[in-house]
Amino acid sequence: MAGIYIHIPFCRKLCSYCDFYHVITQAENKSYVGTLIKEADIRREYLGNENVSTIYIGGGTPSVLSPEEIGILLDLRKLFRVDENCEITIELNPDDIDMVYLQGLRDSGVNRVSLGIQSWRDSDLKLMNRRHNSAQAAAALELTLKAGFENVTIDLIYGIPGMTTADWSSNLDISFAYDIKHLSAYHLTIEPGTVFGKMKEKGMLSEIDEDESSSQFHLLIEKAISAGFIHYEISNFGKPGYFSIHNSNYWKQVSYLGLGPSAHSFNGYSRQWNVRDVKKYVKAVESGSLLFEREELGKKTRFNEYIMTSLRTMWGIDLEYVEKTFDKEGYDYVVNLSGKMVDYGLMKQENKTLVLTNQGKMISDNIISELMLPGDK
Ligand code: SF4
């Protein structure tokens, strides 16, 4: 079961924390959509005979495209073996949509909407330079549900400078009052080179302290679980039957094809990524070629990727899979190193799987790094 990711790199405004590849422009949407279809055609053999179970339109800001353009884009389904019940997700900015827009998306085949709410507090949205305010976020979520989208997910950010645990608690309460089926919640990270990164360098912004971070993360888990969600990946929560197929594929080493500038593709043995420049990307595809870099994944890299992705999920490290795929050497390595994590209460072994405890999830990056084979950290 493979996946397709389509990157729409255009944004109307720069968010202060943003580290994704995007360009601030009102693009030539129609010609860009045509280029994406052309790339899909050139790469139609990439997924072999695998069925496609998920298509994800992300960005940037996919809602700079009209529903008609999304419909044309989704015609690329004809080039692949797409499942009848394929999950088709689009990321939307709350201030881009109205009922006509949403109905148009449903007509084009989109069946899952991801709304970039980020916070219900206007002060946070202003600090992050988001285009929408909390009233627009509420109106957009209500409209999306009213339009008949059953599978709706929202994005929230916590650990924002100035946000208290009480503020975060109220953000969660507001979110869970809606009939959403999925939540992705990310701790804000201040990356170098972003607006926030520059503010931090000048001493104008500082990260929230570790205790506050930790209590916000624990509150997230507690509230999401009591609202009926399953914590199936460090940052992702879904109601039963509503886990993201797209994200789960990434974590389960399933093949995917990435279309558009900067998009990554993976086929089990190699990973490749398109040039991170929209002009160079369009020029290459329009001349019938592709600009990308590729990395062949050796056994060590595949082992480390498996540890990195599986340990973030509720399914954890499957020790039988490790032994079968990475031999006794890989198995012994994991079992020996995980022993002390189990003793410290950071991991637990359930039958033949190793999973993180809530305490372990707090420092998941450190644990993953400990378990990875040296030389590829
Ligand atoms: S909308 Fe998304 S991609 Fe665009 S600037 Fe904001 S965070 Fe970055």
Side-chain angles (χ1 to χ4, degrees):
M1 286 297 193
I4 297 177
Y5 172 77
I6 306 168
H7 192 63
I8 311 298
F10 310 118
C11 293
R12 296 194 170 113
K13 195 174 166 190
L14 173 66
C15 302
S16 313
Y17 57 91
C18 182
D19 195 30
F20 306 115
Y21 177 64
H22 67 276
V23 283
I24 303 299
T25 175
Q26 194 61 52
E28 286 296 324
N29 295 343
K30 275 206 174 61
S31 64
Y32 181 70
V33 166
T35 306
L36 286 169
I37 293 173
K38 206 162 185 168
E39 186 195 357
D41 194 19
I42 296 170
R43 304 181 66 197
R44 60 198 299 172
E45 304 298 331
Y46 185 84
L47 297 171
N49 282 332
E50 285 192 73
N51 278 15
V52 174
S53 59
T54 161
I55 297 176
Y56 191 100
I57 309 173
T61 312
S63 45
V64 299
L65 300 183
S66 68
E68 293 73 28
E69 287 160 343
I70 301 288
I72 295 167
L73 181 58
L74 287 173
D75 273 350
L76 59 75
R77 281 174 289 185
K78 293 178 191 146
L79 301 169
F80 302 91
R81 294 161 62 110
V82 176
D83 273 0
E84 206 182 313
N85 299 322
C86 181
E87 173 188 274
I88 304 181
T89 308
I90 187 166
E91 291 176 354
L92 300 176
N93 259 29
D95 59 330
D96 279 334
I97 57 175
D98 57 20
M99 189 51 96
V100 176
Y101 190 94
L102 291 162
Q103 296 290 2
L105 288 184
R106 287 198 67 192
D107 294 344
S108 72
V110 172
N111 54 28
R112 185 169 183 269
V113 165
S114 171
L115 268 182
I117 303 281
Q118 316 309 355
S119 174
W120 294 104
R121 295 182 350 120
D122 284 333
S123 55
D124 294 337
L125 295 168
K126 210 165 169 196
L127 177 71
M128 295 190 290
N129 205 31
R130 294 293 307 190
R131 277 165 32 208
H132 66 276
N133 57 34
S134 58
Q136 287 170 310
L141 185 47
E142 278 158 27
L143 266 188
T144 305
L145 295 166
K146 207 166 156 196
F149 281 102
E150 195 223 338
N151 195 350
V152 176
T153 177
I154 65 169
D155 279 359
L156 291 179
I157 299 177
Y158 62 102
I160 299 169
M163 175 189 263
T164 63
T165 299
D167 296 330
W168 175 232
S169 177
S170 144
N171 269 356
L172 290 169
D173 291 341
I174 296 171
S175 304
F176 295 143
Y178 291 95
D179 184 21
I180 54 170
K181 299 293 194 298
H182 189 277
L183 164 70
S184 297
Y186 302 97
H187 192 290
L188 182 83
T189 47
I190 300 183
E191 302 290 349
T194 60
V195 174
F196 274 174
K198 286 174 193 148
M199 286 169 74
K200 189 179 160 190
E201 266 170 38
K202 290 182 190 152
M204 293 160 65
L205 192 77
S206 47
E207 271 146 319
I208 66 164
D209 73 55
E210 266 181 40
D211 288 347
E212 191 78 25
S213 269
S214 165
S215 71
Q216 292 187 16
F217 183 63
H218 284 294
L219 189 71
L220 164 67
I221 298 173
E222 193 186 301
K223 288 210 169 219
I225 289 173
S226 35
F229 291 78
I230 298 169
H231 189 194
Y232 72 105
E233 197 265 353
I234 299 267
S235 311
N236 287 276
F237 301 80
K239 290 261 174 83
Y242 289 95
F243 296 172
S244 160
I245 300 174
H246 176 77
N247 290 352
S248 301
N249 276 0
Y250 285 156
W251 304 319
K252 291 179 174 176
Q253 286 77 45
V254 173
S255 303
Y256 54 86
L257 168 68
L259 303 171
S262 80
H264 283 231
S265 303
F266 169 76
N267 64 3
Y269 294 93
S270 71
R271 184 179 302 290
Q272 64 186 66
W273 51 97
N274 284 344
V275 62
R276 203 177 148 97
D277 182 312
V278 70
K279 285 196 178 121
K280 287 183 184 162
Y281 162 81
V282 169
K283 199 172 164 201
V285 174
E286 288 305 324
S287 67
S289 63
L290 299 166
L291 269 182
F292 63 90
E293 286 179 66
R294 176 161 44 211
E295 181 193 7
E296 298 302 327
L297 305 175
K299 205 167 180 179
K300 187 160 85 177
T301 310
R302 281 189 283 127
F303 174 87
N304 285 346
E305 289 203 352
Y306 176 72
I307 298 294
M308 197 162 50
T309 49
S310 62
L311 206 47
R312 292 180 59 92
T313 70
M314 64 183 250
W315 303 285
I317 297 175
D318 177 343
L319 290 172
E320 279 174 351
Y321 173 84
V322 170
E323 189 165 21
K324 201 170 80 195
T325 316
F326 303 108
D327 308 321
K328 191 163 178 327
E329 199 191 339
Y331 176 87
D332 288 345
Y333 181 81
V334 173
V335 170
N336 290 338
L337 280 183
S338 59
K340 66 174 189 231
M341 318 273 184
V342 174
D343 293 343
Y344 292 146
L346 299 171
M347 289 175 86
K348 58 184 173 186
Q349 183 163 350
E350 291 168 349
N351 299 318
K352 281 284 192 180
T353 56
L354 280 165
V355 292
L356 292 176
T357 59
N358 280 352
Q359 208 189 332
K361 286 173 190 167
M362 273 308 299
I363 52 162
S364 59
D365 287 346
N366 299 354
I367 296 176
I368 288 166
S369 179
E370 274 293 305
L371 288 179
M372 282 164 68
L373 284 166
D376 195 24
K377 288 194 177 185

